Amino acid sequence: MADSLRRLINNESCRILQEKLESWYKDYHINSCDQNLNRCCEIIEMNSMIQGQLFTILNQTAREGGHYAGVETIKSRLLPWLGTCFSSTTSGRPFETSLSLIQESIEKERQLREFASTRNHELQQLEKELNSTRLQLTLVQQDLKASQAQEESALRNLDRLNDYEQQVQILKDEIAILGAQKSVLHSRLARSRSPSPRRCQSRSPSPLPLRSCSPGRARLTNAARHAHLVARFSEIYTQERLDAQNLLRTYIDDLEIVQRIIYVAAVESFHAAKMAFRQFKMRVRKTLSLTYSGPESLEDTVLDYIVRHEDLYDVQASVNEVIRAMNINPKISFPPEVDFIMISSLIRELCRVAFSMQTLVPPLDIAFGADGELFNESKYRRSYDSDFTAPLVVYHVWPALIENDSIIVKGEAVSKRGALWSRRSRGKSRSRSRSMSPILSHSASPSRTLLPRSRSPSPIRSGSPSKWACSVYNASWFSH
């Protein structure tokens, strides 16, 4: 704006216009009408040029003041001046139209300013509400964290209380056993000190005290433990079994051999766990029968004791038994660098589950399976690579779980047409190729007996299995 004003001053247009006006005034009476009109038009042209420059300066000044600056001045001074300077006869309808358009524009700008102000006010209100909501959400999150912390603390206290209750119950059981043993010892000592026949004859045979048939902890928790063990058996099938299968596949390319190894491991794990349970139960019964005088039956008390003290089960001994049995199993073969210890985690979990299943009433067991048996839809599922029209089972992948001869969890088997006889012939030739094995050839030398499959003897596989070991294995295999 200052530059435009400076150029207007430097041009001296106003001074020239003043000189022309004075010159025209001096010569007005001398000039003719045309000359005066020409002078007037010339002055009007110069004046319009000056006004154009002034309007340019006016626009620049208004623009520098901002979007709404100078509006009141234009409304109060420029518009009335324009209205009075231009008459209706000279300006006509276009000027009125432009004036109305300017007024409408000003009114729209005023409405826009009011609308913008209203919107800003609403946005401020919304922002305040949003901040309030965020504050409430933060408070709710803090309350939720505090509630979670309290819940975790309560769960930990509950776990500790359960542990304390179990320890107290164990101590009570031990105190009862010790008290019973003490009373028996006292009675024996009293009888040994005073063996009076009169006293013995004077005693009348009193009837045995009636025992209540109230169920123990094992029967009360039977349903919950049953559901947990069935679910755990299914988890082993879907998790630990696949992990062991993937581990064996890194050493053995034949999937059938891998699946046979895992199936034999499952069968032998149940057999070893059942044998360990019988021995453990006999020891507990023998110990409790000497001193027990409680209200429950002896069998229920023995079962309750085993359920409470399952941690006393020597699972590693069962794992060693399973691996020893698998080493002499004629149905599976494997490379010399493969050792069954690598799937000991699977065997250990199977032994634990099988041992716990023996504490149920009735106990759970796995179904007997034999190669070449008729495929049973209610007992097994067919593997994905099976022939779904084949009637016979070629080999088993996973055993079925039974309860009182009823299938509660299906197993998995492979069925194919014409594959059973070819596999039997290959099995015979493989047996002949392993004639140096202590299982198939009893004339082998002691050095060959200690080193089956040309491998260094491990602590689990050391020793030479005899005919008696083979017969025991066959009996345990068909006992399933």
Side-chain angles (χ1 to χ4, degrees):
M1 186 277 295
D3 295 336
S4 301
L5 184 59
R6 188 184 66 254
R7 286 195 300 270
L8 179 62
I9 295 172
N10 293 333
N11 288 336
E12 297 180 352
S13 300
C14 295
R15 184 179 58 80
I16 295 174
L17 178 61
Q18 181 66 26
E19 291 178 354
K20 287 185 176 292
L21 285 173
E22 292 177 355
S23 175
W24 183 30
Y25 178 73
K26 292 179 181 179
D27 298 333
Y28 181 80
H29 298 285
I30 301 173
N31 295 333
S32 62
C33 181
D34 293 332
Q35 290 177 349
N36 288 330
L37 290 175
N38 289 327
R39 288 287 186 90
C40 183
C41 289
E42 182 179 359
I43 292 172
I44 291 173
E45 290 176 356
M46 289 187 66
N47 186 30
S48 63
M49 292 176 61
I50 294 172
Q51 286 183 352
Q53 293 178 0
L54 290 174
F55 275 109
T56 301
I57 294 172
L58 178 67
N59 291 331
Q60 291 178 357
T61 304
R63 192 179 297 112
E64 289 177 356
H67 186 69
Y68 300 107
V71 175
E72 298 298 332
T73 304
I74 293 174
K75 288 168 60 178
S76 60
R77 299 196 61 179
L78 181 62
L79 293 180
W81 175 76
L82 290 175
T84 55
C85 290
F86 297 93
S87 61
S88 59
T89 56
T90 58
S91 60
R93 296 292 299 177
F95 173 75
E96 294 178 357
T97 303
S98 62
L99 183 60
S100 63
L101 290 176
I102 292 172
Q103 292 177 351
E104 290 179 359
S105 177
I106 293 172
E107 183 65 22
K108 288 181 180 180
E109 288 181 357
R110 184 184 62 78
Q111 293 177 358
L112 288 175
R113 286 197 303 272
E114 292 178 354
F115 179 74
S117 176
T118 305
R119 294 294 295 177
N120 290 331
H121 181 69
E122 291 178 355
L123 289 176
Q124 291 176 359
Q125 293 294 331
L126 291 176
E127 187 174 0
K128 290 180 180 179
E129 294 178 358
L130 181 61
N131 293 331
S132 177
T133 305
R134 288 175 179 173
L135 180 60
Q136 294 177 359
L137 180 60
T138 304
L139 294 176
V140 171
Q141 290 177 349
Q142 293 177 357
D143 294 340
L144 181 60
K145 290 180 180 179
S147 301
Q148 291 177 351
Q150 293 178 359
E151 183 179 0
E152 292 176 357
S153 177
L155 290 175
R156 287 194 297 268
N157 294 333
L158 182 61
D159 293 338
R160 292 176 182 175
L161 181 60
N162 293 332
D163 294 338
Y164 293 154
E165 289 179 353
Q166 292 178 0
Q167 294 177 4
V168 169
Q169 187 64 36
I170 292 172
L171 291 176
K172 287 182 179 179
D173 295 339
E174 293 178 355
I175 291 172
I177 293 173
L178 292 175
Q181 291 178 354
K182 181 180 178 181
S183 62
V184 170
L185 291 177
H186 279 298
S187 62
R188 289 179 180 177
L189 182 61
R191 286 195 301 269
S192 63
R193 288 180 177 178
S194 59
S196 175
R198 294 181 180 178
R199 184 177 300 176
C200 295
Q201 292 176 359
S202 63
R203 291 178 180 176
S204 61
S206 61
L208 294 175
L210 296 177
R211 294 179 178 179
S212 64
C213 298
S214 60
R217 174 177 293 186
R219 293 185 180 274
L220 291 175
T221 61
N222 188 76
R225 291 185 294 112
H226 181 280
H228 171 72
L229 291 173
V230 171
R232 182 63 186 131
F233 183 79
S234 301
E235 289 178 359
I236 293 175
Y237 168 75
T238 56
Q239 295 180 5
E240 282 84 352
R241 179 188 69 89
L242 293 179
D243 294 339
Q245 178 174 308
N246 295 332
L247 181 61
L248 290 174
R249 285 300 299 273
T250 58
Y251 298 93
I252 304 173
D253 295 332
D254 194 348
L255 179 61
E256 177 183 345
I257 296 177
V258 171
Q259 291 178 341
R260 284 180 178 270
I261 290 173
I262 295 175
Y263 177 77
V264 171
V267 173
E268 293 295 341
S269 297
F270 268 81
H271 175 69
K274 289 191 295 183
M275 293 295 294
F277 178 79
R278 295 191 190 102
Q279 296 174 2
F280 189 74
K281 186 176 181 181
M282 291 173 59
R283 292 196 302 269
V284 174
R285 185 188 293 112
K286 183 178 180 181
T287 303
L288 295 180
S289 61
L290 298 176
T291 60
Y292 179 72
S293 61
E296 293 88 5
S297 64
L298 179 60
E299 289 298 323
D300 290 342
T301 304
V302 170
L303 195 59
D304 288 344
Y305 183 86
I306 296 175
V307 170
R308 292 191 184 99
H309 300 84
E310 284 190 28
D311 54 339
L312 298 179
Y313 166 48
D314 189 4
V315 65
Q316 186 59 42
S318 297
V319 173
N320 296 338
E321 288 293 332
V322 172
I323 295 177
R324 187 179 298 110
M326 293 177 67
N327 286 330
I328 62 176
N329 193 307
K331 290 189 176 182
I332 53 178
S333 61
F334 47 90
E337 65 271 9
V338 177
D339 198 329
F340 291 133
I341 298 177
M342 68 174 58
I343 60 171
S344 60
S345 60
L346 171 66
I347 298 172
R348 181 175 291 103
E349 292 301 319
L350 285 170
C351 289
R352 287 175 178 171
V353 170
F355 185 88
S356 299
M357 285 181 177
Q358 306 312 306
T359 63
L360 299 175
V361 181
L364 300 181
D365 200 356
I366 56 175
F368 170 76
D371 295 347
E373 67 173 324
L374 187 65
F375 185 84
N376 189 352
E377 293 287 347
S378 62
K379 187 177 180 181
Y380 297 108
R381 293 188 300 270
R382 298 181 191 264
S383 296
Y384 69 95
D385 55 346
S386 299
D387 185 355
F388 285 82
T389 60
L392 301 180
V393 174
V394 179
Y395 66 93
H396 299 79
V397 178
W398 192 252
L401 193 64
I402 60 175
E403 180 182 5
N404 287 336
D405 297 331
S406 299
I407 304 297
I408 59 175
V409 177
K410 286 186 178 182
E412 184 178 349
V414 178
S415 60
K416 291 183 181 179
R417 289 185 177 274
L420 184 63
W421 304 109
S422 61
R423 294 182 187 276
R424 285 184 177 178
S425 62
R426 287 202 301 270
K428 291 180 180 180
S429 62
R430 182 172 54 193
S431 299
R432 287 193 295 270
S433 65
R434 296 176 58 192
S435 60
M436 296 303 294
S437 171
I439 303 301
L440 302 179
S441 176
H442 304 295
S443 62
S445 62
S447 61
R448 295 294 296 178
T449 303
L450 292 175
L451 296 174
R453 289 185 293 276
S454 301
R455 294 191 295 173
S456 60
S458 62
I460 296 177
R461 301 179 182 177
S462 60
S464 59
S466 60
K467 294 182 178 179
W468 177 81
C470 296
S471 63
V472 170
Y473 169 76
N474 293 329
S476 66
W477 178 270
F478 289 105
S479 66
H480 296 289

